[in-house]
Amino acid sequence: MFDLLVKGGTLPDGTVSDIAVTGDRIVATGRVEGAARQVIDATGDLVCPPFVDPHFHMDATLSYGIPRVNASGTLIEGIALWGELREIATVDEMVARALTYCDWAASMGLLAIRSHVDTTPDHLRTVEAMLEVRRQVAPYIDLQLVAFPQDGLYRTATGRENLIRALEMGLDVVGGIPHFERTMEDGAESMRDLCRIAADRGLRIDVHCDETDDPLSRHVETLAREVTRHGLGARAAGSHLTSMHSMDNYYVSKLLPLIAESGMCAIPNPLINITIQGRHDTYPKRRGLTRVKELQAQGITVGWGQDCVLDPWYSLGTADMLDVAFMGLHVAQMTHPEEMARCFRMVTEDNAAIMGLDGYGLRKGCIASLVVLDAGNPTEAVRLRAERLVVVSKGKIVSRRARNDARLALPGRPETVRRRIERR
């Protein structure tokens, strides 16, 4: 007897398959015969591995309006507001907000998150709070925590010391923000220093890199060089990379092969990049997104990140990675059928690869975490931002939602409408 049996679902590659679960593992796929304690009928629905967010700020989430709203909508004002908030926010407040967000995430099938944790303040209450959140959500969400010196590794007197303290407290990933250092030279040196720290400790590194409209902000070049030097490869990621959209095309033609040679990954955050970047432009106004398709054409793994939800930088958000993919599809102009399907993979498989998740997928032996979506295929899921009908985390059903068909009262027309397209 299986613990759980998902019957007749359509997998992202178009295969129709049952999925049998015992404990927290997938034990059989294909046509599965046998009884189960719980059965989910997924006939005609898309069944996918869980959504993954490789870039988020959980210490600030759901704090919108505290101590006030970001009137200019700029990155700099958001950082200043957060600088005030982190000094008055208690550990309990940050834990409560983060746990509420994790409830949202679980309901949306978002079961793995990498969150940057500000290590600037000497009190490190941010670190204490996020470690407690990681402990509490471990049964259903995999939470990776990045030691992130929000105000710069060198720009504050104890920036480097606090980052090391945070890593020793148990954070998982080395972070940085070279474009926020006082000089370009300091930014480049921070990249060399942080990559050494990651290599010496055997950790991953994920850097807020060149999150600016300045085409001369080129710290990704140094990051790629140091990733190659230390052999960090796919354990390294450059997040945002927004300056690349303003760079000279000839320089980019040199830069992209260097990034590809390093083996590092890239994490643009379309909802936030399109909102924050270009604030100093009149018209034409820059899109604020890095060169996604060009990076992918070089074989570089690119994943979409959420970044922010209801915090000093972003006034919207619902923990829906399909919203992220939907915005990314539009801003990056990824409208070919293969590109649209790729956008779905970017918030599932590609993001899982960036985070280095073990046991991710729908194969026999994988961790039994999956989502049943009210859609027939990945592109339809992005188009509809499809309802998550069932969410299973580590073998347990953690969320259910009724199918939300609209009821019509139109003469001569069907009684209900679902907005799905039947493929024949």
Side-chain angles (χ1 to χ4, degrees):
M1 166 125 3
F2 303 116
D3 292 327
L4 178 67
L5 183 58
V6 181
K7 294 289 292 182
T10 302
L11 306 188
D13 65 1
T15 303
V16 175
S17 177
D18 303 332
I19 299 173
V21 173
T22 298
D24 66 352
R25 294 284 166 172
I26 295 173
V27 295
T29 60
R31 185 176 177 84
V32 178
E33 301 294 342
R37 292 179 176 85
Q38 290 181 291
V39 177
I40 299 169
D41 183 1
T43 304
D45 293 322
L46 179 65
V47 178
C48 71
F51 295 103
V52 179
D53 181 5
H55 189 107
F56 195 65
H57 292 265
M58 198 171 287
D59 49 4
T61 198
L62 308 190
S63 65
Y64 179 68
I66 308 172
R68 60 189 175 279
V69 301
N70 184 339
S72 68
T74 60
L75 174 66
I76 298 302
E77 184 176 354
I79 292 174
L81 281 172
W82 168 242
E84 296 178 40
L85 174 58
R86 72 189 175 205
E87 295 307 317
I88 61 175
T90 68
V91 169
D92 288 346
E93 288 169 345
M94 286 185 281
V95 169
R97 286 194 288 260
L99 288 176
T100 297
Y101 180 79
C102 288
D103 293 343
W104 294 9
S107 76
M108 302 305 289
L110 171 54
L111 302 181
I113 302 170
R114 174 183 287 176
S115 179
H116 294 256
V117 183
D118 189 358
T119 60
T120 301
D122 291 343
H123 55 68
L124 292 184
R125 286 195 296 269
T126 48
V127 177
E128 182 184 347
M130 294 305 106
L131 286 170
E132 175 59 19
V133 173
R134 185 178 69 183
R135 184 190 69 79
Q136 291 196 37
V137 303
Y140 53 96
I141 289 178
D142 293 316
L143 181 57
Q144 254 181 29
L145 299 177
V146 184
F148 175 49
Q150 172 73 79
D151 291 356
L153 189 70
Y154 302 143
R155 191 167 178 165
T156 57
T158 55
R160 190 181 190 280
E161 175 189 341
N162 288 346
L163 179 134
I164 298 298
R165 285 174 57 206
L167 292 173
E168 291 176 349
M169 288 170 69
L171 269 57
D172 310 291
V173 182
V174 177
I177 185 168
H179 55 279
F180 205 62
E181 302 290 354
R182 285 191 175 88
T183 66
M184 298 293 279
E185 291 80 4
D186 281 354
E189 180 54 35
S190 77
M191 288 295 84
R192 289 186 280 270
D193 196 357
L194 291 166
C195 285
R196 280 195 299 269
I197 292 170
D200 289 346
R201 291 172 175 262
L203 298 176
R204 295 177 177 272
I205 182 169
D206 186 340
V207 177
H208 284 60
C209 199
D210 304 321
E211 188 184 2
T212 170
D213 293 323
D214 179 6
L216 298 180
S217 185
R218 298 178 173 182
H219 295 295
V220 64
E221 181 181 81
T222 305
L223 176 60
R225 177 68 189 97
E226 295 306 303
V227 169
T228 299
R229 184 193 307 276
H230 293 286
L232 293 168
R235 288 190 290 144
S239 288
H240 294 293
L241 305 179
T242 56
S243 69
M244 200 182 297
H245 75 257
S246 300
M247 288 176 179
D248 174 79
N249 288 329
Y250 177 79
Y251 173 70
V252 173
S253 73
K254 166 197 170 185
L255 176 62
L256 290 176
L258 292 177
I259 297 173
E261 178 189 20
S262 76
M264 63 179 279
C265 309
I267 309 171
N269 301 281
L271 291 169
I272 313 306
N273 296 154
I274 195 65
T275 302
I276 286 180
Q277 303 309 130
R279 288 279 178 167
H280 299 284
D281 293 351
T282 53
Y283 287 92
K285 192 176 285 283
R286 283 169 286 186
R287 289 176 176 268
L289 193 72
T290 196
R291 304 188 187 207
V292 176
K293 293 199 286 187
E294 290 82 357
L295 287 160
Q296 290 175 334
Q298 291 284 331
I300 298 161
T301 299
V302 183
W304 297 126
Q306 175 101 235
D307 200 2
C308 304
V309 169
L310 290 168
D311 67 10
W313 296 275
Y314 189 57
S315 53
L316 301 169
T318 61
D320 187 352
M321 292 306 293
L322 289 179
D323 273 349
V324 178
F326 187 78
M327 176 61 81
L329 183 157
H330 284 79
V331 182
Q333 298 181 329
M334 296 176 69
T335 54
H336 186 277
E338 292 180 3
E339 293 173 338
M340 291 190 289
R342 181 62 183 267
C343 283
F344 186 88
R345 292 198 301 276
M346 288 170 71
V347 294
T348 51
E349 297 170 29
D350 292 347
N351 280 348
I354 289 171
M355 285 184 61
L357 299 179
D358 292 327
Y360 180 90
L362 299 180
R363 301 173 304 280
K364 181 179 178 180
C366 289
I367 295 171
S369 295
L370 57 87
V371 186
V372 181
L373 294 156
D374 190 4
N377 57 65
T379 300
E380 187 169 65
V382 175
R383 177 176 70 84
L384 297 174
R385 276 85 83 217
E387 296 279 11
R388 282 65 161 175
L389 301 175
V390 183
V391 178
V392 176
S393 178
K394 301 179 182 180
K396 295 186 169 94
I397 297 174
V398 297
S399 178
R400 287 184 181 269
R401 182 181 282 114
R403 204 181 297 275
N404 192 24
D405 296 352
R407 294 185 178 277
L408 297 181
L410 300 173
R413 300 306 301 156
E415 293 182 358
T416 61
V417 63
R418 190 175 294 177
R419 298 181 300 139
R420 286 176 56 172
I421 302 298
E422 297 297 329
R423 304 294 181 187
R424 302 188 189 280

